[in-house]
Amino acid sequence: MSDSPNSQGATLLLVDDDPNLILLVRDYLEFRGYDILTAANGAEGLEILANTTPDLIICDVMMPEMDGYTFIQNVRQNPETSWLPVIFLSAKGQTRDRIEGLNQGADVYLVKPFEPEELVAQVESSLSQARRILDHSGMTHKPPTFRVPSYVELTPTETKVVGFVSQGLSNREIAEILKVSQRTVESHVSNMLNKTSLGNRTELARWAMDSGLV
């Protein structure tokens, strides 16, 4: 089970062009119970956001093709993603750099190198703040209506996976229970999202429960 009481199966999008940092941060956050999507630059990040909505974005500032500033500008301009908490990671640590990052739309600005525990604390704090804002606005008390076609059917394995998703388990934890690779679980989740046209794991779990599948 997750070591983090606040992860609740949350999905994070990590955007960075450093494969070593991607590996380090992904492993650390997955160990804490989070599901991680990764992209090498802002353009890849937008492609992922076109198909799924994470609970939070962690983004490098300096990247090829599309830097973090341009990426976050696109995120903030899209009503579907404008509310997402964003944590910037950057090697530029001057006061003016921090101010610029926050002005560009980041909620948190962390300077590389950073302590993994600090990143986890910032993730949990940002997610908690986002939940408080949703609670205050009443959004969490008005669950969305999921327009999933009635003919959509899940395979027996997909039904098992979505049951575990509904319990708040991460892909890593589900893989351990089913004795399959984490990539296999990710593939099942992706297939279910494509079938249902839902945006993320939270919506998938809510639909499954509302439909009596779990």
Side-chain angles (χ1 to χ4, degrees):
M1 294 294 292
S2 165
D3 290 332
S4 170
N6 297 323
S7 62
Q8 298 181 347
T11 298
L12 315 181
L13 173 59
L14 174 59
V15 187
D16 199 297
D17 64 326
D18 183 346
N20 292 324
L21 185 140
I22 285 276
L23 183 62
L24 173 65
V25 173
R26 177 173 184 165
D27 286 351
Y28 200 87
L29 290 173
E30 284 182 340
F31 180 76
R32 301 302 291 262
Y34 295 100
D35 290 311
I36 309 299
L37 304 172
T38 63
N41 55 61
E44 288 186 13
L46 292 180
E47 290 178 4
I48 291 175
L49 291 178
N51 298 307
T52 187
T53 303
D55 298 286
L56 178 144
I57 296 172
I58 302 171
C59 181
D60 188 17
V61 172
M62 301 176 65
M63 297 179 290
E65 293 191 45
M66 180 184 291
D67 64 16
Y69 290 160
T70 304
F71 171 62
I72 295 306
Q73 287 170 6
N74 279 272
V75 169
R76 293 296 183 228
Q77 290 169 4
N78 183 348
E80 297 291 327
T81 58
S82 61
W83 58 273
L84 289 172
V86 174
I87 297 177
F88 262 153
L89 305 178
S90 177
K92 302 172 69 175
Q94 297 295 321
T95 299
R96 63 176 179 274
D97 298 317
R98 295 173 181 267
I99 292 173
E100 176 67 12
L102 296 172
N103 286 340
Q104 289 289 340
D107 299 287
V108 176
Y109 190 103
L110 280 182
V111 178
K112 300 178 182 179
F114 50 85
E115 290 294 331
E117 287 291 343
E118 181 182 7
L119 176 60
V120 171
Q122 292 288 6
V123 166
E124 293 178 352
S125 175
S126 296
L127 288 174
S128 295
Q129 183 178 9
R131 293 187 192 108
R132 288 196 300 271
I133 292 172
L134 291 175
D135 283 339
H136 181 70
S137 68
M139 291 178 65
T140 55
H141 303 297
K142 299 177 182 178
T145 300
F146 302 122
R147 297 193 178 99
V148 177
S150 59
Y151 58 78
V152 171
E153 294 184 359
L154 303 183
T155 66
T157 301
E158 288 172 345
T159 302
K160 286 183 181 179
V161 171
V162 79
F164 291 126
V165 170
S166 300
Q167 295 174 34
L169 300 184
S170 69
N171 288 346
R172 177 178 60 83
E173 292 168 330
I174 296 171
E176 291 175 355
I177 293 171
L178 296 180
K179 293 181 171 54
V180 298
S181 70
Q182 184 171 319
R183 291 294 185 186
T184 298
V185 176
E186 291 173 354
S187 177
H188 285 308
V189 172
S190 177
N191 287 340
M192 287 188 284
L193 291 175
N194 288 332
K195 282 183 179 180
T196 59
S197 297
L198 295 173
N200 54 45
R201 287 165 53 93
T202 302
E203 293 183 1
L204 185 63
R206 184 58 185 266
W207 167 75
M209 290 187 287
D210 290 349
S211 302
L213 297 175
V214 298

